[in-house]
Amino acid sequence: MFSAGADVSLWIAFTAGILSFFSPCVLPLIPSYLTYITGLSFGQLQEAHPGAKVRLTVVAHSLTFILGFSAVFITLGGIVGLASAGFQEHLRTGLVWVERLGGLLILLFGVHLTGLLHFGILLGEKRVHLHSKPSGYLGTFVVGLAFAAGWTPCIGPILASILMMAATSGQAGRGLLLLTIYSLGLGIPFLVSGLLFHQFLSFFQHFRKYIRLTEIITGGLLILVGLLLISGKLGWLTMQLYQWLPVQG
């Protein structure tokens, strides 16, 4: 069995989560989301040294929000993983073609994100709007669910690519693991941004001009993953890394 450090798929999923955070339809709206879910004012959040109560509120609501969107993503991963395992059990030879088709779709998602070609089915924003947030942590959890269900224009192709990787694995638990790692990659920067909101605003002012570049890099990563799946080399690459890394005890 591969060690976690050598598993290329897990690193891809985590990196995809981070890149989803820096996508043009997520990063610019972080301040709005933080004020919306916490109920704190913009002034309270941007204090250089916020009080313990403010920090606790940000941490609690951010974690609840992360749990909300993670629940949707991980559930999708579990469904895809179970379907993949069932397919492998009944038609093992067909899994090779599933892997190639999945790789082709991931490659197309990557091409779309780079801007080389645009596919109409991936265009347009489809957001779930909550005009009034339900009160308390339950309300924050619901906002997290809505975030996962509705933000398709930027994170959709990336999320779909990770789901495709799960679908080509042929393992029931693989989808759960990949989407858990993806959710961590998306959730950790969100939590850090809330805790260091003052610094985040300064960072965003400097980084915003590179958002398009981040999208191109994301597309390039997906194209690479797609090519690895089409050629059947993703597992081979994991094996090579496993041989180079120290064996975990």
Side-chain angles (χ1 to χ4, degrees):
M1 181 177 292
F2 299 134
S3 68
D7 195 328
V8 176
S9 299
L10 298 184
W11 285 107
I12 291 172
F14 186 73
T15 303
I18 294 175
L19 292 173
S20 293
F21 176 83
F22 288 98
S23 63
C25 64
V26 175
L27 187 66
L29 294 176
I30 295 301
S32 298
Y33 264 93
L34 284 168
T35 56
Y36 187 59
I37 66 175
T38 61
L40 298 172
S41 68
F42 193 82
Q44 288 175 298
L45 286 173
Q46 71 173 343
E47 291 178 0
H49 303 286
K53 184 178 180 180
V54 171
R55 287 185 179 274
L56 181 60
T57 299
V58 170
V59 169
H61 279 281
S62 294
L63 288 176
T64 305
F65 175 77
I66 292 168
L67 285 174
F69 67 67
S70 297
V72 176
F73 294 153
I74 294 171
T75 299
L76 288 173
I79 293 172
V80 169
L82 285 173
S84 173
F87 184 84
Q88 183 187 44
E89 181 179 349
H90 291 92
L91 189 61
R92 293 182 179 273
T93 57
L95 195 62
V96 174
W97 292 102
V98 173
E99 184 176 25
R100 291 174 179 173
L101 177 59
L104 176 61
L105 291 175
I106 292 174
L107 188 150
L108 292 176
F109 287 142
V111 170
H112 171 78
L113 285 178
T114 60
L116 294 175
L117 290 174
H118 285 283
F119 304 99
I121 193 171
L122 300 178
L123 297 176
E125 295 191 21
K126 298 178 181 178
R127 306 179 189 175
V128 175
H129 293 279
L130 296 176
H131 297 289
S132 59
K133 171 183 172 290
S135 61
Y137 294 105
L138 177 60
T140 300
F141 185 79
V142 171
V143 174
L145 296 177
F147 171 87
W151 288 87
T152 58
C154 293
I155 70 171
I158 305 174
L159 175 62
S161 298
I162 304 303
L163 288 172
M164 285 293 174
M165 289 175 60
T168 62
S169 67
Q171 301 176 29
R174 191 64 174 175
L176 289 173
L177 179 59
L178 284 173
L179 271 297
T180 298
I181 299 299
Y182 172 82
S183 298
L184 281 174
L186 178 57
I188 290 174
F190 186 90
L191 179 61
V192 172
S193 297
L195 286 173
L196 303 175
F197 190 75
H198 180 78
Q199 292 86 342
F200 168 78
L201 291 178
S202 176
F203 162 78
F204 177 66
Q205 291 303 318
H206 292 88
F207 181 80
R208 62 193 309 171
K209 60 185 176 182
Y210 299 112
I211 289 181
R212 177 57 189 147
L213 176 61
T214 302
E215 199 172 26
I216 294 173
I217 292 173
T218 304
L221 174 65
L222 295 186
I223 290 173
L224 176 60
V225 173
L227 290 173
L228 287 171
L229 283 172
I230 292 171
S231 62
K233 295 296 185 181
L234 187 59
W236 174 85
L237 181 58
T238 296
M239 179 63 75
Q240 296 302 308
L241 288 177
Y242 179 70
Q243 292 175 351
W244 280 97
L245 290 176
V247 178
Q248 300 293 322

